[in-house]
Amino acid sequence: MTQCAITSKGPEFTMERTALYPGSFDPMTHGHADIIERGLRLFDRIIVGVAVNISKKPLFSLEERVGFLEARFPQAEVEIAHLDGLLVDEAKRLGCVAILRGIRNGSDFDYEFRMTCMNGHLAPELETVFLMADPEHLFVSSSLIKEVARFGGEITDFVPEDVAQALGERLGDQ
Ligand code: COA
């Protein structure tokens, strides 16, 4: 999509810059939301891609994970999509110029480094942009929140209300 700005040199047409923010989002947390909100300072549009990570067995269905994100981000600049195939192919199909990821610590960095090298090899035209996670969310992960919820701990500091409720219903009596 193109955008038009009137400058002192006349109208200037620029391409809208879209980033793809992929992840499992099982479920989404305030940490993910923070990355999306800050990503919107850099990009015109963010597509949040709910992807398949073959090494994870999700608690929530794809539709549920997409639904939590849609409820949290109703605005037009954030689109929620289901990613089916190879990340770089999906990013190109969706017209993205970059992949956006959050980094919390050194182990995230090691993992992201390998993924970025592979994605860069497969699609050199796509950049990966990292945002450092907000210090408040450095220790948060979806698995840890599920573990706390399973044992009846308080999770409302980490996830939106609808997610907290769904976690309580799904895990509360296990
Ligand atoms: N705040 C809080 N938690 C965060 C966070 C943040 N800012 N950023 C990440 N996390 C957590 C997530 O909750 C998640 O926790 P969990 O492991 O307990 O579930 C963990 O960090 C990392 O997960 P996520 O960011 O969701 O990424 P992922 O590793 O599950 O996703 C894909 C990886 C989906 C991007 C990758 O598997 C992929 O690209 N798949 C498509 C197929 C493909 O192209 N594969 C080749 C890739 S080279």
Side-chain angles (χ1 to χ4, degrees):
M1 201 186 291
T2 50
Q3 289 180 324
C4 175
I6 308 298
T7 69
S8 57
K9 292 179 183 153
E12 247 177 34
F13 293 91
T14 48
M15 283 295 285
E16 192 181 70
R17 299 183 78 75
T18 304
L20 178 61
Y21 178 43
S24 314
F25 304 106
D26 183 45
M28 71 152 297
T29 68
H30 291 330
H32 294 127
D34 169 62
I35 299 291
I36 296 167
E37 279 164 354
R38 287 163 53 212
L40 283 172
R41 296 182 196 153
L42 303 175
F43 297 98
D44 303 302
R45 230 169 115 241
I46 293 198
I47 300 179
V48 184
V50 182
V52 177
N53 181 335
I54 51 168
S55 57
K56 290 182 180 173
K57 193 177 171 296
L59 174 70
F60 291 106
S61 71
L62 196 67
E63 291 71 25
E64 287 170 312
R65 286 181 275 155
V66 167
F68 295 139
L69 284 156
E70 281 175 344
R72 175 64 181 77
F73 289 100
Q75 61 265 53
E77 315 83 73
V78 181
E79 194 183 310
I80 319 298
H82 163 213
L83 304 184
D84 231 349
L86 196 61
L87 184 65
V88 290
D89 290 345
E90 293 288 74
K92 286 191 275 184
R93 179 179 68 81
L94 293 162
C96 298
V97 295
I99 294 168
L100 176 67
R101 295 283 288 170
I103 291 196
R104 293 161 299 170
N105 49 42
S107 32
D108 274 1
F109 178 81
D110 289 346
Y111 175 54
E112 296 297 333
F113 180 80
R114 282 182 282 123
M115 278 212 300
T116 303
C117 290
M118 178 57 84
N119 287 333
H121 179 85
L122 296 170
E125 68 274 35
L126 277 176
E127 291 295 341
T128 299
V129 173
F130 295 107
L131 290 180
M132 188 69 211
D134 186 283
E136 259 184 76
H137 303 114
L138 287 179
F139 61 96
V140 176
S141 76
S142 301
S143 320
L144 206 53
I145 289 168
K146 284 182 276 192
E147 187 175 330
V148 173
R150 197 180 298 271
F151 291 100
E154 184 57 55
I155 50 167
T156 47
D157 283 347
F158 309 118
V159 292
E161 234 171 76
D162 57 340
V163 175
Q165 192 180 332
L167 279 166
E169 285 164 11
R170 191 69 50 93
L171 296 171
D173 52 2
Q174 283 188 14

